[in-house]
Amino acid sequence: MGPLTDLRPVPDNQEVFCHPRTDKSLIVELLELQAHMQGEAAARYHFEDVGRVQGSRVLQVQSVQPLNLESLALRGCCQEAWVLSGKLQVAKENQQVAKDVTLHQALLRVPPYQTDLLVTFNHPPSSVGPENLSPPSWNLGDFEQLVTSLTLHDPSIFGPQ
């Protein structure tokens, strides 16, 4: 396990960014390549796995779309990319009532490093707030910018190849 945040433990293969004024978060994870799955099935697998790990119930996969590799800064090593939007029913550790949370996920498949790179944007219902937030609340445009601008600076994070 990596460092302990104020919210929950964060494993070494994950970075979590929490918006300072809303319940929104962005999570970047390096996961083992699920080579036995291709295409849309791989995106759905990771969505369902996030739900299982969080102890959530998958309510609905709203859309799964291929992502244009030419739009990615990682296009040189990414062989397949998908964006999925869906809803999970999630109860926080200290709450009894589960809430419906919209998740947007980008799955970048990086076979040269045996890695599935998963970027998740959590958009819970309590995130709706005044438009004059300082700093402004994150939106899907911010998520898209993160996904398309990710670069690999040091391949040694994947271990010896």
Side-chain angles (χ1 to χ4, degrees):
M1 279 294 168
L4 183 66
T5 68
D6 292 341
L7 304 174
R8 64 180 174 90
V10 177
D12 291 338
N13 68 318
Q14 191 179 81
E15 290 293 333
V16 178
F17 304 92
C18 299
H19 191 276
R21 301 221 191 279
T22 69
D23 289 337
K24 293 179 182 180
S25 63
L26 288 162
I27 302 168
V28 179
E29 297 178 85
L30 299 176
L31 303 168
E32 182 179 341
L33 180 72
Q34 299 299 310
H36 62 285
M37 296 196 181
Q38 300 298 315
E40 186 177 318
R44 288 178 181 272
Y45 168 84
H46 284 292
F47 178 73
E48 291 168 2
D49 190 53
V50 165
R52 183 184 53 73
V53 167
Q54 292 183 358
S56 306
R57 189 165 71 91
V58 173
L59 295 179
Q60 177 182 30
V61 172
Q62 295 165 317
S63 68
V64 184
Q65 300 293 324
L67 192 57
N68 180 358
L69 295 180
E70 290 304 311
S71 69
L72 302 177
L74 282 175
R75 65 185 158 270
C77 59
C78 181
Q79 294 182 2
E80 183 181 6
W82 294 86
V83 176
L84 179 147
S85 293
K87 286 187 184 271
L88 296 177
Q89 197 169 62
V90 179
K92 289 188 176 180
E93 290 180 30
N94 56 353
Q95 297 176 345
Q96 297 296 325
V97 179
K99 293 181 181 177
D100 293 357
V101 175
T102 299
L103 291 185
H104 303 283
Q105 290 185 323
L107 174 62
L108 308 180
R109 316 237 33 222
V110 190
Y113 299 107
Q114 296 298 304
T115 299
D116 278 342
L117 173 62
L118 187 66
V119 181
T120 303
F121 177 33
N122 290 298
H123 193 283
S126 62
S127 294
V128 178
E131 294 302 315
N132 60 353
L133 285 177
S134 180
S137 182
W138 294 331
N139 59 44
L140 280 175
D142 298 320
F143 171 68
E144 183 179 314
Q145 182 179 359
L146 172 65
V147 170
T148 57
S149 65
L150 282 172
T151 58
L152 176 61
H153 293 274
D154 184 3
S156 70
I157 65 168
F158 298 106
Q161 296 298 313

